[in-house]
Amino acid sequence: MQTFSNGTRVPLSLAVYLATDHYDYVADVVSATALMRPIRQQVLPARIPKDSPDRVIEIMNTVKSRMGTAIHDSVEKSWTQGHYKKAMLSLGHSQNVIDRVVVNPGYTTDSITGNPVKIKDSPPLASDAIPVYMEIRSFKSIGGKTISGKFDFVAEGRLEDFKTTSTFTWVNDTKSEDYKLQGSIYRWLNQDIITEDHMAIQFLFTDWVKYRTSDSGYPAHPVMQKTYPLMSLADTEQYVLSKLEMFDRYKDSNEQDIPQCTDKELWRKEPQFKYYKNPTKTSRSTKNFDNSAEAYARLATDGGGGLVKEVPGEVIACRFCPAISVCTQKDTYLMDGTLKL
């Protein structure tokens, strides 16, 4: 059982909610999301002693996750509890189309867990049916392991995933490769349900404001969609096998021998180039630039007597890594100032 701390003194009414984890953990399987993590983040958390305070989660740090889960649950219930019929009618869909929608065909709801469970020898769908699948957890054995994943939504063969996130993710497109990879693994696990070779991410922004919609790249609405191509089934399977092989290779290795997280895995920001007009006074830069060309152009404009210093981009992912207490890679970033906890 997970242990929480409540150092910020969240009132019990909300603390109970924040300490309630609805994720359906399955023993002895590798989840799709775990498979995608950096190898250090897969291996090292298990080495934290069970009685270590580092295993205790500050309850305030669960807020974003719980809000995302709440939205997922609400979307799911709007379909599985039949609310979609009235909603679709109010949106202008014909009764004929609504009557053809079948939610989770071939599945029944487990009375204990509330999760969909596949029905053996279920009858085939009508030829004009519109199948909609929600929150189906699937399993597949490969390489001596069992891989598991639970997708959000599939309609007529196209996978959709709901992301409750900041507008930064949209503007900078920081997660596109992760979305493609996760979607590809879900299709690999559910080839009878997910038949399209592209997926859609439905973004629900937590910090959207109307006055910023004139900014370049800023989302026009608080809910937006992007589509992404999926990897081939063969390439996806090869990725799964390679990650399993890497885990087996390093699961018992010394911490220093495990490959370090890449800048991409660290969510490292782009470097800054600080220009100092007077190289003897570097307590405060004259101007900061996002690329070296602009910085050195300014240096040349001022006669070349100044100084340009490259400042490595800040590391972000370590702050959220469950292995941070037993990982020495982060010590380098703490020392050079690129990681701030």
Side-chain angles (χ1 to χ4, degrees), residues 275-276 281-287:
Y275 167 67
Y276 301 88
K281 296 180 180 180
T282 58
S283 59
R284 184 176 179 180
S285 61
T286 307
K287 190 171 182 180

Side-chain angles (χ1 to χ4, degrees), residues 75-86:
V75 174
E76 181 184 3
K77 288 176 181 176
S78 68
W79 287 91
T80 58
Q81 295 185 2
H83 303 302
Y84 71 90
K85 297 176 183 178
K86 184 176 180 181

Side-chain angles (χ1 to χ4, degrees), residues 165-169 204-210 212 218-219 222:
T165 186
S166 68
T167 53
F168 177 90
T169 304
L204 298 95
F205 301 113
T206 55
D207 59 349
W208 184 89
V209 286
K210 189 173 183 178
R212 289 199 59 195
Y218 195 82

Side-chain angles (χ1 to χ4, degrees), residues 270-282:
E270 293 297 318
Q272 272 198 333
F273 297 85
K274 295 191 173 187
Y275 167 67
Y276 301 88
K277 188 171 184 177
N278 185 342
T280 64
K281 296 180 180 180
T282 58

